[in-house]
Amino acid sequence: GAGVSQSPSNKVTEKGKDVELRCDPISGHTALYWYRQSLGQGLEFLIYFQGNSAPDKSGLPSDRFSAERTGGSVSTLTIQRTQQEDSAVYLCASSLVDGTQAFFGQGTRLTVV
Amino acid sequence: DAKTTQPNSMESNEEEPVHLPCNHSTISGTDYIHWYRQLPSQGPEYVIHGLTSNVNNRMASLAIAEDRKSSTLILHRATLRDAAVYYCILRDRGGGADGLTFGKGTHLIIQP
């Protein structure tokens, strides 16, 4: 596709369940970012992938959060044992590594009930 | 620490120009100045970026101070659709996790 694609667009899960959120970046983009945005708040950085380098996980809020990027393309953000405070919109962005414009997906709205 | 400083909110009238300021006094020589905006219930979208010279595109203009310590995003004729949160960020040419760090941005309100 032409842009960054995220799925699902909406996810409702029960507290304690695990969820997986998917991001398909633009083809050829080596940099990939995950963010979380709670209602009415700013973008909170979670994790950054760049090519085959070790990811920067400095923004992950707890060990319940993990992410992987297979083959330098698709990325999956996994949240284990979800809590109500995990409810937010999760956004993915990709870019070329040279600092040019980043492209965002439309996000996954996660609701933990 | 935030690399950029922006006013929390600004208000303007429809069909008038809007000047959104951004201070970035610690900018380095390899930092690009990027602007993004986030419309309600959408992901952020790219607006414009520049390094040293002023830039124009179909969405906006970017005026960069000679010492590069500040910049201004100019919307030449605001519409109601331009109501959004506007983010000014510094993006190093080498990328990295710090290369896409968002502050609180400026909430632009457009009055009809």
Side-chain angles (χ1 to χ4, degrees):
Chain A
V4 178
S5 177
Q6 290 188 247
S7 59
S9 54
N10 282 284
K11 176 73 176 179
V12 180
T13 190
E14 292 181 352
K15 179 180 173 181
K17 300 281 190 182
D18 297 351
V19 294
E20 286 190 351
L21 312 179
R22 178 186 168 104
C23 172
D24 282 271
I26 292 173
S27 178
H29 280 191
T30 54
L32 188 147
Y33 307 79
W34 280 99
Y35 296 86
R36 177 171 70 174
Q37 189 169 36
S38 301
L39 188 63
Q41 302 299 309
L43 285 91
E44 176 188 4
F45 164 76
L46 297 177
I47 189 169
Y48 163 72
F49 294 91
Q50 199 279 94
N52 295 321
S53 302
D56 181 335
K57 305 178 182 180
S58 59
L60 295 179
S62 77
D63 59 8
R64 295 187 297 105
F65 288 72
S66 63
E68 63 177 19
R69 188 177 185 192
T70 54
S73 180
V74 172
S75 178
T76 303
L77 176 69
T78 301
I79 309 173
Q80 295 178 311
R81 304 180 304 281
T82 52
Q83 304 294 314
Q84 287 186 328
E85 59 262 30
D86 298 335
S87 296
V89 176
Y90 290 80
L91 290 155
C92 173
S94 74
S95 76
L96 295 170
V97 76
D98 62 359
T100 54
Q101 70 182 90
F103 296 81
F104 282 80
Q106 289 302 302
T108 294
R109 181 175 299 278
L110 176 66
T111 304
V112 182
V113 297
Chain B
D1 291 338
K3 292 183 179 179
T4 64
T5 305
Q6 300 177 254
N8 289 332
S9 66
M10 291 184 64
E11 197 168 312
S12 183
N13 295 319
E14 197 176 9
E15 299 187 2
E16 290 186 356
V18 179
H19 291 232
L20 296 166
C22 182
N23 288 320
H24 29 79
S25 58
T26 60
I27 191 170
S28 76
T30 55
D31 282 333
Y32 285 91
I33 301 159
H34 280 238
W35 284 81
Y36 292 79
R37 72 179 184 181
Q38 188 171 22
L39 302 172
S41 301
Q42 294 191 26
E45 64 175 350
Y46 167 84
V47 177
I48 200 167
H49 80 281
L51 186 63
T52 56
S53 303
N54 295 343
V55 184
N56 299 296
N57 67 20
R58 64 175 180 80
M59 290 181 70
S61 295
L62 176 61
I64 301 172
E66 194 169 335
D67 63 4
R68 301 211 319 131
K69 293 185 177 182
S70 66
S71 61
T72 302
L73 179 71
I74 302 166
L75 306 179
H76 294 286
R77 193 164 170 267
T79 68
L80 295 177
R81 195 191 172 279
D82 292 320
V85 178
Y86 286 78
Y87 298 96
C88 166
I89 67 172
L90 302 182
R91 191 145 161 73
D92 190 272
R93 194 178 305 181
D98 287 347
L100 200 58
T101 301
F102 290 80
K104 295 187 182 300
T106 296
H107 184 198
L108 177 63
I109 300 165
I110 304 296
Q111 298 289 355

